Every structure is written in structure tokens, then in C-alpha cells.
Amino acid sequence: QAGPGIVSTSAPVAAAAAALMAPLWASAVASFVAVGCRRSAIPQDEVVLSHYNEDYSWLGNWTGRKNVAWTLYSKADEIPYISGVNSLPLSNVGRESHTYLHHIVHNYDKLANWTVFTQAIEPSWGYLIGDSSNGHMNDGVTFDDYLKPFPDGRDSLFVMTASTQFPKAAQATRLGIVAKNLPDEGTKTCPKKGSAGWSEWWFFPDHPHLKGGDMLDFYHDYIALDKNEGKPLTLSFVQGARFAASRKRIHSRPRSYYSRLLVKLSKKVNPQEGFWMEAVWYDILHPEKLQSQRALCELPVLLDVMDMGPYVSESALQRSLQAARAR
């Protein structure tokens, strides 16, 4: 029986109405999610987290910081709800770079003064291939360093911990991510000791960078926006894709640039481009300092004969560490 102000509807009519409205509600929800729940206020500083199945309990030690907004985009089946964190659902495609691009595109005009982009794994020292619990931090670096805007006057914070050369996909590793207490390590973009701060080059035929496609075509077409002349390309990058940048630095590229990349990464769960993107974020945010034009870090000489990976050999690593500590 209907009360005052309530229209009584028969069950068949109600079911038909619900069926009619379902697509409209689905469309509205999809639109709401697609725009990333655009905000009305601009945060001073913000941490953007890309989440799938990582343990996020560590966030409880950080979310109370003043003037820092926390936004977690989750690609999990169940969206985590964490005190002090704005948790939003996102399609499970494109790896962490899809998450970062989504945030930039849908908040381009309301980006924080300083934004930290990170996977949702707890930040901690070290990296070992195949270990999903790696925290990807360089020796002498803490997560707190990323939350301090404009360190030493810089408008971005990239601590390069790996280098790769295409088309060979040879790899060199920053020693500070595989060994502790080395001299002169920390938040500098490149090791202070130059080439002595890196391992020897190594090669792994099953490396994700070699799973298919042509990295050089992708880089020149989507990142550098120039012609691929077939020249080798060496990129220093952040293992684990954790970095920070100012609003102005992100705005060094137009929204359309990021949108084009977002479309490219939105088609598959693990697209090949998702692995390559980890290596190109510095060039995305620094169009005036493309590594295709000038080397960012001083690296060891790349020889024709290299150690076979999946990592630099213990003997080669020890040679590199001894050289670094001797200087």
C-alpha cells in the first residue's frame, strides 16, 4: 500500500521501468568513473597511487600529513577504502602508466601544485627482478623525499635506477638499488660518481622490453613526436615508475599529448607499450631534454659482449661495487 507522496506501481511495471533505466544508470556510472571524479578544489600536493593487488596498509602511516591529498586508483575487483584516501575504480588496462595518464588527462586543469606518481607497493629499498614486493627505492632515498616539492629548486624528482638501450634492450642498473651504504648516493637524478655508479651492461632475452613491437617506433611516434631514423636509443629511467612533478612541468605537454597516449594504453591489460612507458616518463615530462638528443646520465661503455641476465652477474656486480667504493 502506498503512503502519502508515494506512487504505487505493480511489479511487472516496476520491473519494466528498472530494465529501461538500467542502461541509463550504467552509462551515468561509466561517465562518472571515466572523468576520474573531477574535483572542485585543487590540492596543494597530491600522491597518485596505481593499485591492483598490492598491500596498501602502509598508507596508514602517511595519510595524516598536512596539505597532501591521496588518490588511489584501483584496478582490483574490490575497491579498497582507506581513511584519508580517495579511492576510485579504474579499468584494469595499461599498467601503472595508464593510471598516471588517466589522472593527468581528467585533472589537467586542476592538477596539484606537486604530484607524486607511484605504484601502491610500499616504498622501500631495493629491486630484484621477479619479486613483486620490491619497493624500488634507491639507497639514501625515502618516500618523504618525494613529498617535498621542488627539491633543490627542481620542478621534478626522478631518481634514475636503470638504463636501457634499444634496439638491443641491454640493461644497466644503478648500484644504489642493489647495494647499500655506497658513497654519494641519494636523490640526485644520476649517480654523482658518473659511470662508476652503474653496473656493467647485461642482457636478458626474456626482458619485458623485448616482448614484441618496435620500441623505437613507439618512442618517436608517441614520445618525441619526430621521425624514427633508426638510431640506437639509450634511456635512463626509474625502475618501478615512481616520480614527482610540478603542475607546470606536467603542463609542458598539452592535454592532447597525454590523451593520445592514454588511448594507446587503454586496449589491453598488459600492452607492450605499458612496459616501455616505464622508461620514457622523463622524456614525456621534459620535452626540452629528450634523451634521444642528449644523454641524461653518464653510463658505462656498452660492449658487444655482455653478461646474460636476468640480472648482472655477481662477479660483475662486485667489480662495479669495488670500483664505486674506491673512487
Side-chain angles (χ1 to χ4, degrees):
Q1 182 179 0
I6 300 177
V7 178
S8 178
T9 306
S10 66
V13 173
L20 179 65
M21 292 298 294
L24 300 178
W25 278 111
S27 176
V29 170
S31 297
F32 178 73
V33 172
V35 298
C37 305
R38 289 181 182 172
R39 56 238 179 147
S40 57
I42 301 176
Q44 179 174 334
D45 304 316
E46 183 170 19
V47 178
V48 172
L49 302 112
S50 180
H51 172 260
Y52 175 57
N53 61 1
E54 299 90 344
D55 179 3
Y56 50 81
S57 60
W58 64 275
L59 286 170
N61 298 323
W62 293 90
T63 54
R65 296 176 69 95
K66 187 178 181 181
N67 298 324
V68 179
W70 298 79
T71 301
L72 182 145
Y73 294 96
S74 181
K75 300 180 179 183
D77 294 334
E78 294 185 9
I79 308 304
Y81 291 95
I82 311 159
S83 178
V85 177
N86 184 24
S87 297
L88 303 171
L90 202 58
S91 298
N92 184 22
V93 293
R95 302 180 60 82
E96 76 278 344
S97 286
H98 168 268
T99 303
Y100 301 168
L101 290 166
H102 175 93
H103 180 83
I104 291 171
V105 168
H106 294 294
N107 296 285
Y108 190 83
D109 295 326
K110 294 183 178 180
L111 290 167
N113 180 54
W114 182 259
T115 303
V116 179
F117 297 90
T118 182
Q119 297 177 7
I121 189 70
E122 182 176 6
S124 60
W125 171 80
Y127 174 71
L128 183 64
I129 288 179
D131 186 348
S132 61
S133 65
N134 288 304
H136 298 110
M137 300 286 277
N138 191 54
D139 187 31
V141 180
T142 68
F143 191 60
D144 192 56
D145 291 319
Y146 290 87
L147 300 179
K148 299 174 182 176
F150 304 96
D152 301 321
R154 290 177 285 171
D155 61 1
S156 68
L157 179 58
F158 281 78
V159 183
M160 302 309 191
T161 51
S163 291
T164 184
Q165 195 268 7
F166 293 96
K168 290 183 177 181
Q171 302 277 321
T173 304
R174 188 167 180 165
L175 296 179
I177 203 171
V178 293
K180 290 185 176 182
N181 302 317
L182 293 174
D184 301 324
E185 277 300 326
T187 60
K188 296 297 182 182
T189 302
C190 302
K192 290 182 180 179
K193 291 184 174 294
S195 61
W198 297 89
S199 74
E200 297 176 12
W201 290 92
W202 52 274
F203 174 76
F204 183 44
D206 293 330
H207 195 280
H209 287 169
L210 292 172
K211 288 187 178 296
D214 191 323
M215 167 58 172
L216 294 178
D217 281 344
F218 172 74
Y219 176 87
H220 289 286
D221 190 10
Y222 283 87
I223 309 304
L225 306 181
D226 58 15
K227 183 179 179 181
N228 177 12
E229 297 180 347
K231 297 178 180 178
L233 173 66
T234 299
L235 297 170
S236 295
F237 64 98
V238 182
Q239 194 80 55
R242 179 183 295 115
F243 55 89
S246 70
R247 181 191 307 118
K248 185 176 180 179
R249 173 49 61 188
I250 297 173
H251 282 175
S252 63
R253 300 282 197 180
R255 190 205 300 261
S256 59
Y257 176 92
Y258 298 104
S259 297
R260 184 168 177 253
L261 279 167
L262 179 59
V263 171
K264 187 69 172 175
L265 266 68
S266 298
K267 301 174 182 178
K268 298 179 181 179
V269 174
N270 274 317
Q272 179 61 56
E273 295 83 0
F275 294 96
W276 290 336
M277 282 290 295
E278 182 184 41
V280 299
W281 271 106
Y282 184 89
D283 287 38
I284 287 174
L285 296 180
H286 298 82
E288 78 285 4
K289 296 180 180 179
L290 293 176
Q291 295 183 73
S292 57
Q293 303 297 321
R294 184 178 181 180
L296 179 64
C297 298
E298 182 184 354
L299 298 166
V301 175
L302 178 57
L303 303 175
D304 291 334
V305 179
M306 295 175 284
D307 274 345
M308 291 295 292
Y311 218 47
V312 65
S313 68
E314 181 64 25
S315 59
L317 177 59
Q318 291 304 318
R319 286 197 301 269
S320 298
L321 291 174
Q322 289 174 7
R325 288 171 172 141
R327 292 196 178 188

